[in-house]
Amino acid sequence: STILANLNDIFCTEYRHLYVFFSAVVIDINLKTQQLTLASAGHPYQLVIESGNLVRMVATGTLIGIDSTSIFNNVQQPLKQGDKVLLFTDGISEEFSRSVKEGTLSEYYYSVEKHKSKRIVKMCNAIIDDIVSSDINHRFLDDVTFIGIEVN
């Protein structure tokens, strides 16, 4: 949260005249304590699959560059063998929303739920396949970053 607060302060003071704002997420995975710490600035909820259950990492903060008094909080999630962490940009929801009337992350979460029992690489590939097959043009229009981590 300190990183986001400092970044936000710089953008609100030094670059305010540019009218720039953006979402961000900072994640730290401590391998010794098997703890994930996350702070978010207007970014979609990241996911952990813990013992087969979807856990939304709900860390809220405003977009970077909007308000210099914004508060960013850390959220922690213990990790154990077999847990999976899914990190993604908002391009994921935008790609699903181009073909779905609602335009929410629910289609993404449904895809994760459908494929969560697979090993991480196969799961991520299946989710990306779902995104691509949901779009009539079969191409991405926004940046999409999607990272899957499985704890061994």
Side-chain angles (χ1 to χ4, degrees):
S1 62
T2 304
I3 293 169
L4 291 178
N6 290 339
L7 183 62
N8 186 57
D9 185 52
I10 290 168
F11 268 83
C12 284
T13 56
E14 302 295 321
Y15 301 105
R16 187 153 198 85
H17 65 282
L18 297 176
Y19 301 104
V20 173
F21 57 92
F22 55 92
S23 68
V25 64
V26 175
I27 295 161
D28 177 50
I29 298 176
N30 186 322
L31 297 176
K32 288 184 180 179
T33 63
Q34 291 192 308
Q35 185 88 2
L36 180 146
T37 303
L38 176 141
S40 176
H43 209 66
Y45 302 145
Q46 305 301 292
L47 295 175
V48 173
I49 301 172
E50 176 187 37
S51 302
N53 299 310
L54 260 63
V55 177
R56 292 182 186 186
M57 298 291 296
V58 181
T60 57
T62 62
L63 295 167
I64 298 293
I66 297 279
D67 181 3
S68 63
T69 63
S70 292
I71 296 172
F72 304 95
N73 297 308
N74 287 335
V75 175
Q76 295 188 324
Q77 172 72 32
L79 297 173
K80 62 185 178 313
Q81 186 174 3
D83 286 353
K84 298 170 187 156
V85 180
L86 298 177
L87 311 172
F88 57 95
T89 59
D90 61 357
I92 293 283
S93 62
E94 290 170 15
E95 291 305 321
F96 270 123
S97 70
R98 289 189 311 127
S99 62
V100 178
K101 210 175 218 180
E102 295 299 313
T104 67
L105 279 170
S106 61
E107 290 78 25
Y108 168 70
Y109 295 135
Y110 173 76
S111 181
V112 172
E113 187 72 40
K114 183 169 65 170
H115 301 294
K116 69 183 179 183
S117 64
K118 297 176 180 171
R119 297 298 305 224
I120 195 70
V121 172
K122 288 187 180 200
M123 182 181 72
C124 291
N125 286 336
I127 293 166
I128 293 295
D129 287 346
D130 285 351
I131 294 169
V132 171
S133 67
S134 73
D135 177 26
I136 197 164
N137 295 317
H138 303 293
R139 62 189 169 109
F140 294 115
L141 296 181
D142 191 13
D143 62 296
V144 172
T145 301
F146 185 50
I147 300 170
I149 301 166
E150 188 165 358
V151 180
N152 291 322

